[in-house]
Amino acid sequence: MSEEEKREGGDRLKLAIQKSGRLSEGSLDLLERCGLRLRRGREQLLARIDSLPIDVLFVRDDDIVEFVEQGVCDAGIVGENVYKERYLGEGEGESLEVVRYLGFARCRLCFAARDIEEGEGVYSYMKKREQEGLGVRIATSYPRTVRSYFSDYGGVEVVTMSGAVELAPRLGIADAVVDLVSTGASMNAHGLEVGETLLRSEAVLLSGKGGVREGLVGVMEKLLCRVDGVLHARGNKYIMLHMEESRVGLLSDVIPGAESPTVLSLSGVEGIVAVHLVCHEDVFWETMEALRGLGARKILVLPIEKMMWEV
Ligand code: ATP
Ligand code: ZN
């Protein structure tokens, strides 16, 4: 970092994202969609953004919460699961807040065991163990979340592991595990049946409670406005179609929010119009079929890249 960059550092918003892992691609994609092009520094640990005074730090996801907490960074993108684990039962959550849910890196933190029936709840499993005079050792990387979830049960021992948690039962280290699951295939491959979900998680944008430092309020506002634009556009689609002019009023039965679509005449065609509208949710095949049911033809559904949409 040059002297000039160091001096400037104070006026630049520092955003921490995961260097490499399951959050990285989504985080970089979000920044790109926000129009924030990264200029990677020589050391690859820090990248400057030219269009806004933001520096991006590439770190391990486990460090992100602490960095924001200590003011090393002003904001960070991390799994909600990691944030919750850090703060459960500590009351420290006072110093940080989730400013946006980002909708990617979705996963579940689940209980899994070898001797659990499909769909069996934790309560029934624990009772069964208790009746057999057995306690339960649970291996996990999320000890606080697990202790809190199982606080009403006796005989629970938590074995903290930083990785390879699903191997613990086979190694005889634990009877059950609590770990992140997206499809459950990896658990099944290790002979474990996935049971109850303790927590659902997605990537979140964190900042200090009460917002960022005074000089950075404007930058943060701009960043959030762009993030909102991206998030908003993601769930919305642009629809174009042709239909009988007399039936345009029926569109709102099929597409919520379609009360005032743009209606364009087609040159040389009487009674048929082109309709353009924004649909505020994903468009499924059922919606397409319903549109055809209204006599719509030439239906095009397009993704929206950005949106500034005042309702
Ligand atoms: P690091 O090297 O940065 O410490 P890591 O190995 O701890 O990385 P990853 O496996 O990359 O972390 O997961 C990071 C985050 O991605 C998780 O905390 C979780 O929020 C999210 N995630 C989404 N899907 C999954 C999944 N199927 N398994 C694990 N994590 C997932
Ligand atoms: Zn990690």
Side-chain angles (χ1 to χ4, degrees), residues 18-23 59-62 79-82 105-107 142 180-182 201:
Q18 190 187 26
K19 189 173 165 60
S20 85
R22 289 186 164 100
L23 289 159
V59 295
R60 286 200 56 193
D61 73 332
D62 313 62
E80 193 184 359
N81 51 310
V82 172
R106 287 186 197 277
C107 55
Y142 299 88
L180 292 171
V181 172
S182 46
S201 175

Side-chain angles (χ1 to χ4, degrees), residues 12-19 44-46 55-78 82-83 86-87 92 95-97 205-209 211-213 216:
R12 300 179 63 83
L13 188 140
K14 287 194 204 67
L15 172 72
I17 67 172
Q18 190 187 26
K19 189 173 165 60
Q44 301 280 302
L45 203 93
L46 184 95
D55 287 338
V56 178
L57 260 81
F58 297 92
V59 295
R60 286 200 56 193
D61 73 332
D62 313 62
D63 295 332
I64 293 176
V65 170
E66 225 165 301
F67 280 6
V68 179
E69 196 176 76
Q70 293 169 355
V72 177
C73 291
D74 306 291
I77 296 176
V78 75
V82 172
Y83 166 74
R86 174 86 179 94
Y87 280 130
E92 285 173 70
S95 61
L96 280 188
E97 69 182 315
L205 179 67
L206 292 179
S207 85
K209 191 106 183 172
V212 289
R213 291 179 279 133
L216 296 175

Side-chain angles (χ1 to χ4, degrees), residues 239-243 247 250-252 254-255 258 277 283-297 299-301:
I239 304 179
M240 302 196 285
L241 52 84
H242 288 186
M243 73 187 300
R247 311 198 78 185
L250 300 174
L251 278 175
S252 56
V254 174
I255 300 172
L277 53 97
V283 177
F284 299 103
W285 285 110
E286 290 77 21
T287 319
M288 304 280 280
E289 283 154 13
L291 286 172
R292 283 188 69 98
L294 292 180
R297 296 291 179 266
I299 307 168
L300 281 181
V301 179

